[in-house]
Amino acid sequence: MIVKEKITHLQLGFLLFGFIAGFESMFLTESKLMKQDVWIANLFNTAAGLALFWIISFVQRQFPNLNLTEICDKLLGRWFSKVLLCVYLLNNLETISGGFRAVSMFYTTVILPNTSSDYLIFLYAACSTYAVYIGLGTLARTNLVILPFFLLGFLVTCLFIIPEIQTNPFLPQLKSSLPNRLVGSMHLFTFTFSQVITFGFLMSRVENMKKIFPSCAIAILMTNIYLIMISYLTLSSLGFNYVQTSTYPFFSTIQMVKFGEYLERIEVLLVGLWTVLTLVYVAVMQYVFTLVAGHVFGISKMKPFVVAMGLLCFVHTSKSYIRTADHFTYGIKIYPLSSLLPCIAFPVLLLVMTLIKRRREVKSL
Amino acid sequence: MESLHASASANLQELKRLYTGNELFTIHNIGKSDAYDEAVVIYLNSLVDEKRLNQFIIRKMNMDLREHSGPAGEVLLNSLHTLGEVTILEGIEEIINHIADANFVLIINGHVEAYAMKLPGFETRAIEEPQVELNIRGPREAFTEDLQKNLGIVLRRIKSPQLKAKSYVIGKDSQTKVMLLYLADRTDPQVLNELRQRIDAIQLDVLSDSMQIEEWIQDSTFSPFPQLLNTERPDRVVKAMSRGKIVIMTDGTPNALIAPSTFFEMLHPSEDQFERFYFANFLRTIRLITLIVSLIGPSFYIALTTFHLEMIPTPLLMTFLSAKAGIPFPTFIEALIMEVAFEVLREASMRLPRIMGQSVSIVGALIIGEAAVQSGIVSRPMVIVVAMTGIASFTIPYYSTAIALRLLRFPLMFLTAFTGMFGLSIGMFIVIFHVCSLRFCGVLYLDPIGTEGYKHSIKKIFLPPVRYRARLKRERSEIDVPNRQSHYFHGKEWD
Amino acid sequence: MFNIAIFVGSLCYGVVYFVLLRKRGKLSDAVIMLLLCGFIAGYNAPYIGKRWPTVEKLYNGLYTPLSRYIFSHLLSFNK
């Protein structure tokens, strides 16, 4: 068995931040639904994300020498574990396809209307396949290089959006309906920290397992602070009505950034950084997809399968979510439900089985 | 290996057979007889200092033969021992190797061994100023093609007994000497062992330059980025060794290789050490900016003028549009024409004799730039963009890194031409990803990024004042030792 | 054109690696590779490509009744 490169707990934390912060920031669907009450969704998201991460890291710490797929086999039995991992693989493929399609849809809508989306998806998939082929360590290091630029760009943007603030985004509070709050919170959680299970499959690659939870907890908190900041900046600068009708509200917000009276419309630079961070997101998902698929199907020589899996992600995306409206509706109504089993029930089941196993071991002693 | 006969004539016959057709092979009889049966001295006459050999060595041996009694072989051997260090040779192959290495060999009748002494008489270049790595302040010595001279320059600068030197002979026909230099108390033993194994595995017929060693031992053959630094400056070599690097010096080339090298070391010339720290850091920042300009300058211009016109301020946009009016080619083709012309000009100016080179390149640039604009092939802003990109690439101190950036500019331009900022972002991701993936003997190419936190990384990339560097070095010694597996990795991701 | 290229490319990739993996004695890997590439080629195959299964279709079929019940009846959410 080959020894794979390990990453540090800090790199994992940064990867988690880049993973979430990059992708979700463009859409802000929860801001459209909840408006000034969006902090409720973020609070729920933080709590749920931390809880889910704690569950997965607890399970991993009980079996420090095994990776999560092997832990599943040990706790759930080989065949039931394969079934659940297959469900996870379907969810992973669904997410990857959604990510690819979201990026291509964004570009063909606002920046490159004359370019075929298949061509953009192909380029994206080729890049992420290359990233998966090279490995997790390099991906984590690349994320470390890119994040400071992203944060700098974001901070400068926020600074220059402040003069455009026209509405008080905080008042009146608690005016959104309960269904909107529920749906918005579920939506935000599904698109951000429900994918924490993906990081569970990477935990065995971290050098110091005890430090995983503290550094990733900080990453989760920082991500939510970032999401709250951009939500409220967007609401205050665009206004509630425009946010509701705009497809990409944060993009519309950064279009308003001006440097003096001379330099404007620099949103394309931030979009470039967002594209790269979304690429990190899909690369991580695809990497875990490849790892788990290799385990489920018992593949010993994984190298040739990396390209095949990349090709699968590309062709699956090119046939999925073709209509924009369908894609958005799917994201609100189907995706939160389809993620329940692999992203929430699965880790909880692992926790329960771990506790049962521990109790049995204590009793036998 | 064929061993020697006791008869000098027999050995000589064999050597004559091997050197048939080589008129440089010289045989000089010692003693009175013309039959070469007493003792002979053999050598290649353009390698050995014939004047000293005849005037001092052979003359002394003949005198000692006349004045001393006893077996001729013993007398000659004692005489030779008084003149310098003698190497005992036991076979024909050893004789051949030593003759090729500017030795003369004494073959004595009745002895099954031969005796060699080094007496180089070929001319070597004097120590001059560096040709490529120029600086305003600091030492002005550069290496030459003579390995012994180069080793002397280095040993004058490092007097510690921890300095170790291991020699190799590489090249079946060239038998080129290669030296590995390092400070034993600072070098990573894992890297050293790995490097030694790689050098042992080199199989070449002729080793003429350190580049062949570099290509042979590097991890990633197809990467455009150089993974070893080569330098002609002794001060750079000494500084590298003091930081735990290993130096490979090759006979016949003035370039020494430093391993393992990192990407940031290739952006920092040795001159930074000789300037005040704030100026050095200012220049380092400028170089980082020019690195980005050199890589994405034309691509960024193509993206803005083809896909993202809204980003350009309106007055500037009007200027660009009026300059572009009447140009039949899209911006990408303009950029391609100008970049290729610039590369051709750059290459041509390197091949021309120095007297003509500078004036031709200036005139060429003026004519090509001005004529191309006047004839409506390219626009003026494009000429400025390409010129600025070229100047930015000249600020990269290490030539091989600058070449890598020049090469990568073209695929980025292609990507950007079809997909604008999307293509540029993807291209930059691939470049950064590739640089992050590179290692040499397990050590990261992008060190310290990825091995240490941001704070330590900034401390390593930028220079503190001299008095704090010693303190930093002591602190760093605790984290420099690669205990963590993430720091030093030698495996594969997928089976 | 692009679809045909992907179709042919994936089939060729599958066959080549099937042969290579069989030579290395990894029969199960070879079979999985062939099946996977066949499945991938199905997406771009003429006529059958449109009917080839995707996760979106599967989950739309599985979860639409549940989603309708939860969002329309329970939460009265219509967006």
Side-chain angles (χ1 to χ4, degrees), chain A residues 2-6 8 11 14 107 111-112 119-120 124 127 130-136 138 141-142 144 148 205 207 262 265 268-269 272 276 279 287 302-303, chain B residues 300 307-308 310-311 313 315-316 415 418-422 425-426 429-430 432-434 436-437 439 444 446 449-450 454 484-487 489 491-495:
Chain A
I2 52 169
V3 175
K4 294 199 180 194
E5 189 178 356
K6 295 235 182 213
T8 63
Q11 284 177 336
F14 279 117
Y107 272 94
I111 298 179
L112 304 168
Y119 177 66
L120 294 174
Y124 222 56
C127 263
Y130 172 63
V132 168
Y133 184 80
I134 300 295
L136 179 67
T138 308
R141 280 193 296 280
T142 310
L144 276 184
R205 299 282 295 273
E207 279 172 338
Y262 197 66
R265 302 294 303 274
V268 75
L269 294 174
V276 173
L279 187 52
Y287 181 81
M302 278 304 296
K303 225 183 196 178
Chain B
F300 193 66
F307 295 94
H308 313 297
E310 70 277 3
M311 240 190 93
L316 188 61
L415 271 173
F418 290 106
T419 49
M421 200 56 84
F422 177 80
S425 314
I426 297 295
F429 175 81
I430 294 174
I432 295 170
F433 194 81
H434 175 71
C436 289
S437 72
R439 285 185 185 264
L444 275 175
L446 213 57
I449 292 174
Y454 284 117
R484 301 192 310 255
Q485 199 270 356
S486 60
H487 185 99
F489 179 70
K492 293 184 290 185
E493 184 67 36
W494 305 104
D495 197 6

Side-chain angles (χ1 to χ4, degrees), chain A residues 319-338:
Chain A
K319 301 297 175 203
S320 304
Y321 315 115
I322 293 171
R323 281 184 285 269
T324 309
D326 287 349
H327 190 194
F328 275 106
T329 311
Y330 186 94
I332 293 172
K333 294 202 173 160
I334 305 289
Y335 188 47
L337 298 174
S338 65

Side-chain angles (χ1 to χ4, degrees), chain A residues 36 55 64 89 94 98 110 114 120 127 133 148 178 182 186 193 196 231-232 246 250 291 296 339 354:
Chain A
Q36 58 270 48
I55 290 172
L89 283 175
E94 179 192 20
V110 291
N114 298 322
L120 294 174
C127 263
Y133 184 80
L178 185 64
L182 278 169
M186 257 176 74
F193 296 117
V196 149
S231 299
Y232 281 108
S246 168
F250 190 53
L291 272 180
V296 167
S339 303
T354 307

Side-chain angles (χ1 to χ4, degrees), chain A residues 140-322:
Chain A
R141 280 193 296 280
T142 310
N143 186 56
L144 276 184
V145 172
I146 294 165
L147 261 185
F149 292 101
F150 177 80
L151 288 171
L152 185 69
F154 162 70
L155 283 168
V156 167
T157 308
C158 286
L159 218 60
F160 282 90
I161 291 175
I162 292 170
E164 307 298 327
I165 292 174
Q166 291 171 4
T167 321
N168 183 346
F170 301 106
L171 296 174
Q173 280 291 312
L174 303 173
K175 288 292 176 190
S176 55
S177 62
L178 185 64
N180 277 4
R181 285 183 218 168
L182 278 169
V183 173
S185 305
M186 257 176 74
H187 183 273
L188 181 63
F189 177 65
T190 309
F191 276 86
T192 54
F193 296 117
S194 70
Q195 293 305 327
V196 149
I197 180 72
T198 303
F199 279 78
F201 291 101
L202 302 178
M203 281 182 192
S204 58
R205 299 282 295 273
V206 178
E207 279 172 338
N208 191 343
M209 279 203 195
K210 287 180 193 159
K211 291 194 180 177
I212 291 177
F213 183 73
S215 60
C216 290
I218 294 171
I220 289 171
L221 286 167
M222 299 302 291
T223 313
N224 276 299
I225 292 171
Y226 164 79
L227 287 170
I228 288 180
M229 272 176 72
I230 60 169
S231 299
Y232 281 108
L233 272 173
T234 306
L235 285 168
S236 58
S237 53
L238 293 185
F240 298 134
N241 293 327
Y242 193 1
V243 166
Q244 205 157 1
T245 54
S246 168
T247 317
Y248 304 104
F250 190 53
F251 179 72
S252 306
T253 307
I254 56 179
Q255 279 179 325
M256 296 163 66
V257 170
K258 263 188 278 197
F259 294 108
E261 295 300 321
Y262 197 66
L263 197 57
E264 323 183 326
R265 302 294 303 274
I266 50 109
E267 74 274 6
V268 75
L269 294 174
L270 271 162
V271 162
L273 287 166
W274 171 76
T275 307
V276 173
L277 275 185
T278 311
L279 187 52
V280 171
Y281 173 88
V282 290
V284 170
M285 295 295 292
Q286 194 176 324
Y287 181 81
V288 171
F289 180 85
T290 312
L291 272 180
V292 174
H295 178 86
V296 167
F297 296 108
I299 301 169
S300 54
K301 291 271 173 205
M302 278 304 296
K303 225 183 196 178
F305 285 89
V306 173
V307 173
M309 304 276 180
L311 204 51
L312 174 66
C313 293
F314 162 65
V315 294
H316 184 267
T317 309
S318 66
K319 301 297 175 203
S320 304
Y321 315 115
I322 293 171

Side-chain angles (χ1 to χ4, degrees), chain B residues 83 130 174 196 222 250 310 323 333 376 382 385 392-393 461 478 486:
Chain B
L83 293 166
S174 64
R196 278 197 187 140
F222 297 106
T250 311
E310 70 277 3
I333 301 294
M382 180 53 74
V385 165
S393 74
I461 295 169
E478 288 150 11
S486 60

